[in-house]
Amino acid sequence: MTPPDDRRGRQRALVGAMIIVATVGVLVAVGLSALRLGGITTDLTSIRTSSDTVASSNREALLLEQMVTALGETTDGRAVAVQAGLLQRQLIVSAAAFAPDAAPARELRDVQRVLAAFPWDELPATGGHDDPRRLPALALVMGAERRINAVRVEQEKQFYLATTAALEGSRRSQLGLSALVGLVLALGVAGVTLVTSRSRSRIARAYDALKGEVGERRAAEDALRASEGRFRSLVQRASDLTVVTDATGIVHYVSPAAETLLGHRPEDLLDLPLLVHVEPDQRAGVGQAIAFLAEQPGLVHTIELRLCTRDGRVRTVEAVCQNLLADTDVAGLVWNGRDVTDRRALEVELTHQARHDPLTGLANRVLLLDRLRGAPAAGTTVAVILIDLDGFKNVNDTLGHPAGDELLRSAAQRLLGCVRPEDTTARLGGDEFAVLTDGGPEVAQTVGRRIVEALRRPFGVAGHEVRIGASVGVAHGDGREAAEDLLRDADIAMYVAKNAGKNRVEVFEPAMRVRAAERTGMQQELARAVESGGIEVHFQPIVDLRTSRTVSLEALARWRGPDGALVPADVFVPIAEETGAIMEIGRVVLRQACRAVQHWRATVPCQRHLGVAVNVSVHQVLSGLLYDDVVEALRDSGLAPSTLTLEIIESTTIEDSERVAAEFARLQAVGVRIAVDDFGAGYSSLGFLIGLDVDTLKIDRTILEFDATRRGSLVAAIAELGRTLGLTVIVEGVETPEHLAWARQASCDAAQGYHFSPPLPAADVPRFLRTSGRDVGQGGVEDGQPVVDLGVGSGQRWGDAEGPAHPG
């Protein structure tokens, strides 16, 4: 039998061992808890830091979106390039906040590489709103912003989940520590019971040991409360809104951010349904989302809430919600939201700007094409009406671009007054507009005529009354055409209206597309011919009616097509004027004509006073380059200025006669002579003749044909007018002996036409000059015959030949 003292000794030893083990367990648990909480705190700090850097990148991206959208209006290309660089640097900083191989870091670095690859420095330094690179740049930046925002949302989710895990770990650590401390206390009581028989000194030592253990427990609890305080401070001080509701949406907790965001104190929102603060038209959808979340334990869902503030405003909150109903410490749906009101407003503004014209407020090409693509899907037959303003460039050039912008805004308002509210009216760029309507062909033509009449009325612009017109093309679709094709067909019809005389409506026909393709091909062939030197110059004699001698040659542009045949001048010259090739053609004809005539004056007998006439386009005159081109051609050829006459068609000078007169005055000052061609076929304004101060008057061939069919002589009347003004008078279109007789009876000074000679290639001119008679001089009398001073010969429309009016 074991003695009692031995049993008590073993019991004391066992209790002592258990107390030691429990104490070590408490210390280990406290240490592990402290390490775990420290690690969680570090992770939360890291996640918050990375989230803040990503949010900064998101703000820089939104600012770049706004600047690209306003390119040409309030910002220029340099500012956009600088902002793009700032965004790229911020992305590098944001990526550095993550582990190098982490998915957010790879995503941010990829966004930075995409932005760096775009040529931001090629955006225009000024202007640029219509630059074709603006829309690709805007699409690139908006895509980058969406990707950055996705990383930010994911970081917010990670922060919330980490916070929840930290609170759960803290709770479990506290339970474990409480259990261990309770065990230590129980063992202590047992030990006290066992040692009651020991001396008072031993009891005192045991008490001191127990008190030390309790102190350690309190220290551990204090450390745990400090960690919990740090977590609570992170949540309480966060700018984002945190709300906890039950499964039905009743609010149980609201973070202090509610007062900043909504104007309500957190306690005022408790025990009320969350739907009370949701905008009425969104409540049904949010209620369905709450019911769906309540049925999915652990589900994390993102939803956008429109919450009403205390002062009646509405704020848009992007909320991440998680179902933690099964968590006994939370027992609710947790909503963590960020205010995105300003960002959504900016997105709406950017979307509006990307789809509307900033000058007129009308839809732009992008929105028009979107609606045009949607119309066939709705089973609707549509019509596109394309409008181009006639004479707008003249307003821009004379009154300035601000006046031009004012005119465009006024024209846009008149267009809106001609269509229905459900129709789409758009500005496509420059002075080109379009209307999309679902009316039938007759309705579209009626609208087109109404637009022509509305735009024909005078406009009050910059204190002036200006008049413009409109060329309108109409194309219809039945759902089988692509939107771009229908717009192209309307554009083709509009150009047909413009070429047919402007201020009219033309409806597209398939044959127009064929002609347009042919015209495009001819434009390309003509451009190649001009570039490769394929423009020829032919010459038609101008004959003095008193001496029957050739006194001048009219230089005419000729172009041989790919098949070797001459293309009619009335076909290729309008194309050259439309494409701008007329400028180079004019220089070529001027240089070749001056060189050739100077050569013939020196090498062909009796032709030392031979003159030359060269047609000039009004585009050459208004370009401001004609004077330099003429001076260079005269200097290069050695031809005397008084031997050169420049011809311009009467009807083309009416729109800007003052500028034409000023340019011709500069040329006349150096000795060049000026002739008005086709007189009588245009406006035939006496004031025009006096204001332009010309030297030569050329009577159009139609006047000669008129005299052949009517009684009386209109040619004689015009010739008398020319003599009264002191002008040399030349009659065109002399094809028969009868024509020649009428010209002589009218006392015209000279004539040209197929009766004398067709236009000749340069190689045939010397032979014609040798057989046509010897030199008659410039004025005076030679061989008993008076000589008229024609200076340089006169001419005709660009490239026209003074040939038969009828075949043969």
Side-chain angles (χ1 to χ4, degrees):
M1 185 173 180
T2 303
D5 291 338
D6 292 338
R7 286 200 303 271
R8 284 196 295 271
R10 287 194 294 270
Q11 290 175 353
R12 286 196 296 270
L14 178 61
V15 171
M18 293 180 65
I19 291 175
I20 293 172
V21 171
T23 302
V24 172
V26 169
L27 294 175
V28 171
V30 170
L32 292 176
S33 177
L35 290 175
R36 183 166 59 253
L37 290 176
I40 293 174
T41 302
T42 301
D43 292 340
L44 283 175
T45 304
S46 175
I47 293 173
R48 172 50 64 187
T49 300
S50 60
S51 178
D52 289 342
T53 61
V54 174
S56 298
S57 297
N58 193 34
R59 286 192 296 273
E60 294 294 337
L62 287 172
L63 182 57
L64 181 57
E65 282 185 39
Q66 187 173 14
M67 295 179 70
V68 172
T69 302
L71 180 63
E73 297 295 330
T74 59
T75 60
D76 57 21
R78 292 187 295 268
V80 173
V82 170
Q83 181 59 32
L86 292 175
L87 174 56
Q88 294 177 49
R89 288 196 292 274
Q90 183 60 43
L91 286 171
I92 294 173
V93 172
S94 298
F98 300 90
D101 58 345
R106 294 196 301 271
E107 177 71 0
L108 293 174
R109 287 196 297 269
D110 185 63
V111 173
Q112 188 271 331
R113 285 194 294 272
V114 171
L115 291 173
F118 189 85
W120 300 102
D121 55 350
E122 293 181 11
L123 293 176
T126 58
H129 187 272
D130 293 331
D131 189 86
R133 291 164 291 193
R134 184 180 69 85
L135 289 180
L138 181 59
L140 173 65
V141 175
M142 293 181 72
E145 190 277 333
R146 286 194 294 270
R147 295 174 66 182
I148 295 170
N149 187 54
V151 174
R152 182 193 64 77
V153 171
E154 182 61 28
Q155 287 302 111
E156 292 295 334
K157 291 181 180 179
Q158 292 296 327
F159 175 76
Y160 173 76
L161 294 175
T163 302
T164 303
L167 294 174
E168 176 64 16
S170 174
R171 182 182 66 84
R172 292 175 180 174
S173 296
Q174 187 174 10
L175 291 176
L177 287 173
S178 298
L180 288 174
V181 170
L183 177 61
V184 169
L185 291 175
L187 292 174
V189 171
V192 170
T193 304
L194 289 173
V195 299
T196 52
S197 60
R198 299 179 67 84
S199 64
R200 294 176 62 89
S201 60
R202 291 183 178 180
I203 294 174
R205 288 195 297 272
Y207 173 76
D208 291 338
L210 180 60
K211 186 168 66 172
E213 293 170 1
V214 172
E216 292 175 356
R217 172 183 175 278
R218 288 177 177 173
E221 290 178 347
D222 289 341
L224 183 60
R225 282 194 294 271
S227 296
E228 292 176 348
R230 286 195 294 271
F231 294 131
R232 187 178 300 106
S233 178
L234 286 173
V235 175
Q236 294 292 325
R237 296 178 183 275
S239 60
D240 293 349
L241 176 67
T242 301
V243 178
V244 180
T245 69
D246 64 11
T248 63
I250 302 299
V251 177
H252 290 170
Y253 170 80
V254 181
S255 67
E259 190 164 3
T260 302
L261 178 62
L262 303 177
H264 294 284
R265 294 182 302 171
E267 55 269 25
D268 295 337
L269 305 178
L270 298 178
D271 299 324
L272 294 175
L274 177 63
L275 293 179
V276 171
H277 304 286
V278 176
E279 197 175 25
D281 61 354
Q282 196 192 18
R283 289 175 182 171
V286 176
Q288 294 175 359
I290 292 174
F292 174 74
L293 285 166
E295 296 173 355
Q296 307 291 327
L299 177 66
V300 177
H301 180 65
T302 300
I303 186 173
E304 194 167 276
L305 304 173
R306 295 194 299 275
L307 302 179
C308 301
T309 66
R310 187 167 188 169
D311 56 5
R313 294 178 297 122
V314 176
R315 307 297 294 178
T316 302
V317 175
E318 185 179 71
V320 178
C321 181
Q322 184 175 16
N323 183 339
L324 295 180
L325 292 170
D327 189 327
T328 55
D329 291 325
V330 179
L333 305 177
V334 181
W335 307 72
N336 189 21
R338 167 169 291 183
D339 185 3
V340 295
T341 305
D342 295 337
R343 190 179 77 190
R344 289 291 180 264
L346 178 59
E347 290 174 354
V348 171
E349 180 182 355
L350 292 174
T351 301
H352 179 84
Q353 292 178 1
R355 297 165 66 85
H356 289 79
D357 174 49
L359 178 64
T360 62
L362 300 178
N364 62 10
R365 183 184 295 269
V366 175
L367 182 54
L368 178 72
L369 288 174
D370 284 348
R371 293 183 178 175
L372 189 54
R373 294 186 187 104
T380 305
T381 301
V382 298
V384 175
I385 305 170
L386 200 67
I387 305 106
D388 186 81
L389 303 185
D390 299 326
F392 172 77
K393 183 178 183 300
N394 188 45
V395 175
N396 240 7
D397 293 342
T398 56
L399 299 182
H401 289 283
D405 291 345
E406 182 182 350
L407 177 58
L408 289 174
R409 287 190 290 267
S410 299
Q413 292 304 311
R414 290 197 187 178
L415 287 177
L416 291 174
C418 296
V419 301
R420 301 170 303 175
E422 60 267 26
D423 296 333
T424 298
T425 304
R427 180 186 175 215
L428 304 184
D431 60 345
E432 195 171 69
F433 296 84
V435 173
L436 173 62
T437 179
D438 58 0
E442 296 79 9
V443 173
Q445 293 180 55
T446 300
V447 173
R449 287 190 289 270
R450 189 184 305 144
I451 290 172
V452 169
E453 291 301 321
L455 296 179
R456 184 179 295 172
R457 298 194 302 271
F459 288 85
V461 175
H464 297 79
E465 182 181 279
V466 299
R467 293 179 180 270
I468 59 173
S471 298
V472 177
V474 178
H476 302 282
D478 56 5
R480 293 177 295 179
E481 305 89 348
E484 292 79 1
D485 293 342
L486 194 59
L487 193 59
R488 179 204 59 200
D489 292 344
D491 188 62
I492 291 173
M494 182 272 291
Y495 274 104
V496 171
K498 188 174 288 290
N499 293 331
K502 304 180 180 180
N503 277 310
R504 58 189 296 136
V505 179
E506 290 289 343
V507 180
F508 174 78
E509 297 176 356
M512 292 181 181
R513 187 181 299 143
V514 176
R515 291 194 295 269
E518 294 174 349
R519 187 179 182 88
T520 301
M522 185 172 291
Q523 289 175 351
Q524 298 171 350
E525 293 171 1
L526 178 58
R528 286 192 290 268
V530 172
E531 184 177 351
S532 62
I535 300 298
E536 304 175 10
V537 181
H538 289 197
F539 298 87
Q540 187 172 38
I542 299 175
V543 177
D544 183 350
L545 292 181
R546 297 173 184 171
T547 64
S548 298
R549 304 297 181 88
T550 301
V551 292
S552 184
L553 298 170
E554 179 182 3
L556 303 167
R558 290 292 182 265
W559 170 42
R560 294 188 185 276
D563 58 357
L566 286 175
V567 179
D570 58 356
V571 173
F572 81 84
V573 169
I575 294 177
E577 291 183 334
E578 179 182 320
T579 60
I582 196 68
M583 299 292 296
E584 184 58 28
I585 293 175
R587 295 188 187 97
V588 169
V589 173
L590 183 63
R591 288 195 299 265
Q592 292 188 17
C594 290
R595 290 173 185 171
V597 170
Q598 179 65 5
H599 175 71
W600 295 329
R601 284 160 60 93
T603 59
V604 179
C606 303
Q607 297 297 333
R608 64 181 181 276
H609 297 299
L610 184 67
V612 63
V614 179
N615 294 280
V616 293
S617 165
V618 70
H619 297 285
Q620 292 176 267
V621 180
L622 297 180
S623 70
L625 302 175
L626 179 61
Y627 178 85
D628 294 337
D629 291 342
V630 170
V631 171
E632 181 181 352
L634 292 173
R635 182 171 54 245
D636 175 68
S637 64
L639 190 68
S642 60
T643 311
L644 174 63
T645 294
L646 300 180
E647 297 183 3
I648 190 165
I649 297 174
E650 170 202 8
S651 59
T652 63
T653 63
I654 297 300
E655 288 187 0
D656 206 343
S657 58
E658 292 183 1
R659 290 179 61 188
V660 172
E663 187 70 10
F664 280 159
R666 294 178 64 200
L667 292 165
Q668 287 174 311
V670 298
V672 176
R673 300 165 66 89
I674 305 298
V676 173
D677 199 7
D678 292 351
F679 188 81
Y683 293 91
S684 301
S685 168
L686 180 60
F688 163 77
L689 284 178
I690 297 174
L692 194 56
D693 190 22
V694 298
D695 305 293
T696 302
L697 182 67
K698 297 189 71 175
I699 302 175
D700 188 70
R701 70 177 70 189
T702 58
I703 303 299
L704 194 61
E705 294 169 359
F706 176 86
D707 280 2
T709 57
R710 304 288 198 282
R711 295 179 62 186
S713 177
L714 191 55
V715 173
I718 297 177
E720 181 62 29
L721 171 64
R723 285 191 295 273
T724 301
L725 296 175
L727 307 179
T728 299
V729 179
I730 303 174
V731 64
E732 303 172 312
V734 175
E735 302 172 7
T736 65
E738 290 77 12
H739 288 166
L740 179 60
W742 292 331
R744 282 177 169 158
Q745 289 174 6
S747 299
C748 295
D749 298 308
Q752 72 181 101
Y754 269 51
H755 178 72
F756 306 108
S757 172
L760 300 171
D764 296 340
V765 171
R767 182 177 58 185
F768 175 84
L769 293 176
R770 291 188 184 97
T771 60
S772 66
R774 56 192 179 84
D775 188 9
V776 297
Q778 279 193 321
V781 177
E782 186 169 323
D783 294 337
Q785 297 294 332
V787 179
V788 61
D789 178 11
L790 293 178
V792 55
S794 182
Q796 159 72 9
R797 181 177 296 107
W798 254 106
D800 280 359
E802 283 303 321
H806 308 287

